[in-house]
Amino acid sequence: MSKILVTGGLGFIGSHTVVELQKEGFEVVIIDNLSNSSINVLDGITAITGKKPIFEKLDLREKSAVQEFFKTHNDVKGVIHFAASKAVGESVENPLLYYENNINTLVYVLQELNKLKEANFIFSSSCTVYGQADELPITENAPVKPAESPYGNTKQIGEEIIKDTCKVSAQLNAIALRYFNPVGSHESALIGELPIGVPQNLVPFITQTAIGLREQLSVFGDDYPTEDGTCIRDYIHVVDLAKAHVVALQRLLAHKNETNFEVFNLGTGTGSSVLEVIKSFERVSGETLNYKIAPRRAGDVIAAYAHTEKANKVLGWKSDLTLDDAMASAWKWEKHIREQ
Ligand code: NAD
């Protein structure tokens, strides 16, 4: 049973990935500083899998604590690195917080991995690296565009740091996974996206509006050059996304990677407009959503959806769940947390 470190493992994508890792028989150690998560998530994971992961409350910005961790857990076979700050707007207001939390932490973890005999590393990257791509669907070969925010920049710099480290490292093998738009939650509604602050993303805003926490959803722009005029994104169910991490890790553990730094898009390959997402929500929930059309928002790209061939053929993973599945699970989760 290989021991896997999941940083940020109590967060939205991390917690779902821990569940899938445990289902596949991995022993999981979670590091999280609870800056954007709750300790209760540990109970949710345990209730789903019947197994409590090891948990270390630790801030990865503390270099000495990271060093101590790896001294104790020197049998870690792989690391999935989710821990980061992720609010785009906040990153514009406080760039140094983002550079410290998303870059320093990455460097500290890589420094420790460099001391191991063999190290396998999965990095949470994002489709934001492509900006408004010139061609759709977006392949992994599409050029990386100048970042729109410090947050987006941390993902680009993060990939560069890993790539440079891999060039000179005999033992490090890494995969950067570029997520499109992760949505939904585990079907049990025991874990999901925690509602801390005003949601930055569409789906939690939809469910919070439907449950009465927010008065109205604003759809930013209906005059884009798309079929219904609203922006198009590739919404990927978080459980599918979590499974992709397990597949990527198994690829590295089995030495099946072609180079020691690989990049894969993780999306469904299908773009959905904001109005289509709203319709999907209304269809599966039976609710009518209160929304209005608002002016365009600065920085929004018109359309982004993944070319999935590389993930399908090379990684051997493809998404399985639909947008309706994701919206139904997100709604179930929203109702569950409000009942507590
Ligand atoms: P999240 O905020 O739910 O999870 C991140 C977790 O990391 C949280 O539990 C937080 O407490 C922890 N953390 C943050 N800084 C830490 C530190 N210094 N030390 C220890 N723990 C720390 O976010 P998420 O949505 O699960 O995203 C996970 C990763 O995926 C992030 O790197 C994010 O940038 C990336 N990503 C997310 C999305 C998305 O839409 N959710 C899209 C693309 C990429």
Side-chain angles (χ1 to χ4, degrees):
M1 201 167 55
S2 302
K3 190 193 265 187
I4 307 301
L5 165 62
V6 181
T7 75
L10 294 186
F12 172 43
I13 307 168
S15 57
H16 289 82
T17 302
V18 171
V19 166
E20 298 305 322
L21 284 167
Q22 290 196 328
K23 274 206 227 160
E24 289 297 315
F26 289 101
E27 184 188 8
V28 177
V29 189
I30 294 173
I31 285 181
D32 206 300
N33 66 353
L34 303 178
S35 59
N36 200 34
S37 52
S38 154
I39 190 66
N40 299 336
V41 177
L42 206 53
D43 295 333
I45 294 169
T46 311
I48 294 168
T49 62
K51 191 163 185 276
K52 196 172 188 162
I54 304 168
F55 173 61
E56 299 265 0
K57 184 170 183 290
L58 191 155
D59 192 328
L60 291 165
R61 286 173 296 188
E62 289 172 28
K63 184 172 175 163
S64 57
V66 178
Q67 290 171 332
E68 278 309 309
F69 173 88
F70 277 95
K71 270 185 206 147
T72 313
H73 296 278
N74 57 8
D75 53 346
V76 161
K77 294 281 181 282
V79 177
I80 307 183
H81 184 54
F82 292 106
S85 300
K86 64 166 182 177
V88 173
E90 187 187 40
S91 80
V92 175
E93 275 152 33
N94 197 347
L96 291 180
L97 171 78
Y98 275 68
Y99 288 116
E100 181 185 34
N101 205 37
N102 296 8
I103 301 298
N104 290 15
T105 58
L106 171 65
V107 171
Y108 298 158
V109 172
L110 290 176
Q111 282 173 334
E112 294 315 300
L113 292 187
N114 258 346
K115 296 175 187 167
L116 302 179
K117 249 203 257 137
E118 187 191 319
N120 298 301
F121 187 73
I122 312 283
F123 179 64
S124 295
S125 189
S126 165
C127 69
T128 56
V129 302
Y130 299 119
Q132 179 58 72
D134 302 322
E135 278 175 41
L136 294 168
I138 304 172
T139 73
E140 288 81 353
N141 294 327
V144 168
K145 295 268 176 82
E148 293 271 351
S149 69
Y151 166 74
N153 207 19
T154 66
K155 293 298 165 192
Q156 300 191 2
I157 297 169
E159 285 196 16
E160 292 297 325
I161 289 172
I162 301 163
K163 194 161 70 178
D164 288 343
T165 310
C166 283
K167 271 185 203 155
V168 293
S169 168
Q171 72 274 42
L172 183 64
N173 286 283
I175 292 179
L177 297 174
R178 292 177 177 162
Y179 314 153
F180 280 67
N181 293 68
V183 290
S185 67
H186 192 266
E187 58 176 3
S188 64
L190 291 169
I191 54 172
E193 191 166 5
L194 268 199
I196 298 177
V198 180
Q200 306 272 319
N201 296 330
L202 176 63
V203 174
F205 212 108
I206 288 179
T207 57
Q208 287 194 11
T209 305
I211 209 118
L213 261 173
R214 316 255 155 228
E215 208 181 310
Q216 196 174 41
L217 169 82
S218 294
V219 175
F220 298 111
D222 69 346
D223 56 352
Y224 285 101
T226 62
E227 209 151 290
D228 63 23
T230 64
C231 288
I232 289 177
R233 298 286 180 273
D234 185 339
Y235 296 93
I236 165 105
H237 198 299
V238 68
V239 172
D240 278 337
L241 193 71
K243 288 179 178 165
H245 289 77
V246 180
V247 174
L249 183 73
Q250 284 165 334
R251 176 177 175 81
L252 295 182
L253 291 171
H255 308 291
K256 286 191 177 148
N257 46 320
E258 286 161 15
T259 56
N260 67 353
F261 177 69
E262 294 182 318
V263 174
F264 294 99
N265 282 343
L266 295 181
T268 65
T270 302
S272 304
S273 72
V274 178
L275 294 181
E276 283 171 336
V277 175
I278 292 172
K279 275 188 207 125
S280 166
F281 172 76
E282 291 185 330
R283 188 164 53 240
V284 298
S285 67
E287 303 284 323
T288 303
L289 194 75
N290 182 16
Y291 69 90
K292 64 167 186 198
I293 305 296
R296 289 184 182 194
R297 194 172 54 174
D300 276 342
V301 301
I302 303 164
Y305 49 94
H307 202 299
T308 58
E309 193 177 284
K310 190 176 177 198
N312 297 165
K313 291 200 174 147
V314 182
L315 188 60
W317 164 90
K318 78 181 217 351
S319 68
D320 186 33
L321 298 161
T322 64
L323 180 61
D324 279 6
D325 294 331
M327 298 310 288
S329 66
W331 182 228
K332 192 175 170 189
W333 166 247
E334 184 68 59
K335 288 190 289 187
H336 171 77
I337 45 180
R338 301 304 157 196
E339 276 162 11
Q340 288 177 336

